[in-house]
Amino acid sequence: MDTRKLLCTPFTSSTTAEEVLRDIDLTGVRAVVTGASSGLGVETARALTAAGAEVTLAVRNTSAGDAVAETIGRSTGRIRPRVVRLDLADRATVTRFVEAWSGPLHLLINNAGVVTGGLERTREGWELQFATNHLGHFALATGLHHALARGAADRDGARIVSVSSTAHMRSGIDFDDLHFERRGYDPQIAYAQSKTANSLFAVEATRLWAADGIVANAVNPGGIATGLQRNFSPEQKASLDAAEAAGVFTYKTVEQGAATSIVAAVSPEFAHSGGHYLDDAQEAYTVPNDADLAQHPHGVKEWALDPATARRLWTVSTGLLRV
């Protein structure tokens, strides 16, 4: 169990994104939110825009993104967010996004995620959940490193928010079979592996980039009913229902779910401190890898914060993207 003093904020599980941003002026801040055409991404983008940030919605479906941007601009009275196409499972669109970006970047919210009910692969043969949730965001962040460094220089730091999940507690990283080429496919384990990867990314990104003024933190938004569940198999739905019944989580509103991402993005407690995993707007306590999820629904497993594993994953991910 983690015995050091954890970073705390004045916020709770019921705090909303708007409440976190109360009295905060983000004028001049440039932010990218992936997956901002539905669910948590919409509320995260809306809250940042309302506080004055210049937001770019990075989305697969630009028609849906345009509708969201129009609604955000109209409801906040602020500058309408930009909409740029980004398919995290398609390396070409990630490259185009990075090459088209101009100027500094202060906030990168890696929010997008996919859940599959069965085995799906990218054109490279990569397992889709790992490819989208981790590798796509990894390529985006490393590609935007220079822009983040410029943002850090002109605003005393830049931040990356990596959206993970309680699901990370189901699986570490299987380096011997990342893409389920030999083991039987379990979509829940595949999703869990990708969410552990999201946390490990924050650990290594902070180690490598803190000197540039860039920190990254992982967040668990909690249980929120979003479009992410639309592809659940009957087994996945049953597992989710069982977890709720066991008290592993209680459903939050989208506004409450987005709050932890906003905490990682703007709270002073995390301005220069990264490599953490946040839950309910606080830094989570660490539990052993054999800890039971039902007994520690707000913890983070050691395998999701292990520096050696984070370095190895970074090296492997870099190698995959070079092929």
Side-chain angles (χ1 to χ4, degrees):
M1 203 72 72
D2 199 339
T3 57
R4 70 182 176 84
K5 186 175 177 59
L6 301 176
L7 297 176
C8 298
T9 76
F11 307 112
T12 69
S13 61
S14 61
T15 300
T16 66
E18 187 171 302
E19 289 168 342
V20 175
L21 286 164
R22 185 172 293 153
D23 300 324
I24 292 179
D25 183 2
L26 295 182
T27 301
V29 170
R30 303 183 77 203
V32 169
V33 183
T34 68
S37 60
S38 64
L40 287 172
V42 173
E43 178 57 18
T44 302
R46 187 206 64 78
L48 291 171
T49 301
E54 176 190 322
V55 178
T56 295
L57 312 183
V59 298
R60 281 186 301 176
N61 184 334
T62 54
S63 294
D66 283 331
V68 168
E70 187 64 30
T71 298
I72 288 175
R74 192 168 56 248
S75 66
T76 63
R78 299 283 193 165
I79 297 174
R80 181 185 187 273
R82 274 199 323 150
V83 178
V84 180
R85 186 168 187 273
L86 176 71
D87 181 347
L88 291 163
D90 182 345
R91 283 193 285 175
T93 74
V94 177
T95 298
R96 284 195 292 270
F97 187 99
V98 168
E99 291 178 346
W101 185 266
S102 177
L105 175 62
H106 307 100
L107 291 176
L108 173 58
I109 315 294
N110 287 337
N111 166 84
V114 65
V115 172
T116 64
L119 178 59
E120 297 182 45
R121 297 193 182 278
T122 66
R123 66 186 64 182
E124 296 86 357
W126 299 337
E127 191 275 321
L128 184 62
Q129 294 187 86
F130 187 79
T132 302
N133 300 346
H134 169 61
L135 289 173
H137 279 129
F138 179 85
L140 179 66
T142 53
L144 291 172
H145 170 255
H146 180 67
L148 287 161
R150 285 187 61 185
D154 70 22
R155 288 194 69 91
D156 188 32
R159 307 193 205 188
I160 303 172
V161 180
S162 185
V163 177
S164 183
S165 167
T166 303
H168 87 273
M169 297 185 82
R170 292 180 180 271
S171 177
I173 306 295
D174 187 339
F175 287 103
D176 294 325
D177 193 15
L178 281 174
H179 299 293
F180 291 84
E181 294 168 321
R182 292 179 294 280
R183 53 181 165 153
Y185 189 70
D186 182 334
Q188 293 185 83
I189 295 300
Y191 181 71
Q193 177 177 248
S194 75
K195 294 291 103 177
T196 291
N198 291 153
S199 181
L200 290 169
F201 165 81
V203 173
E204 184 65 359
T206 297
R207 187 186 75 84
L208 291 173
W209 296 346
D212 299 321
I214 304 165
V215 296
N217 285 294
V219 303
N220 170 32
I224 302 102
T226 68
L228 195 65
Q229 292 90 19
R230 64 180 173 271
N231 293 323
F232 273 19
S233 67
E235 291 78 15
Q236 287 170 298
K237 292 176 181 176
S239 178
L240 187 66
D241 291 343
E244 183 186 9
V248 171
F249 72 91
T250 55
Y251 278 105
K252 294 181 180 181
T253 66
V254 171
E255 292 79 9
Q256 292 167 338
T260 301
S261 290
I262 297 298
V263 165
V266 306
S267 290
E269 292 83 0
F270 298 97
H272 303 291
S273 187
H276 308 298
Y277 177 99
L278 284 66
D279 183 282
D280 283 348
Q282 313 293 329
E283 182 185 1
Y285 62 93
T286 305
V287 300
N289 291 334
D290 61 357
D292 184 81
L293 170 59
Q295 294 179 0
H296 299 283
H298 301 290
V300 54
K301 287 202 171 178
E302 292 172 336
W303 61 40
L305 295 177
D306 179 65
T309 306
R311 286 194 291 273
R312 184 180 181 187
L313 179 62
W314 192 282
T315 298
V316 169
S317 300
T318 301
L320 284 169
L321 292 172
R322 282 178 179 159
V323 174

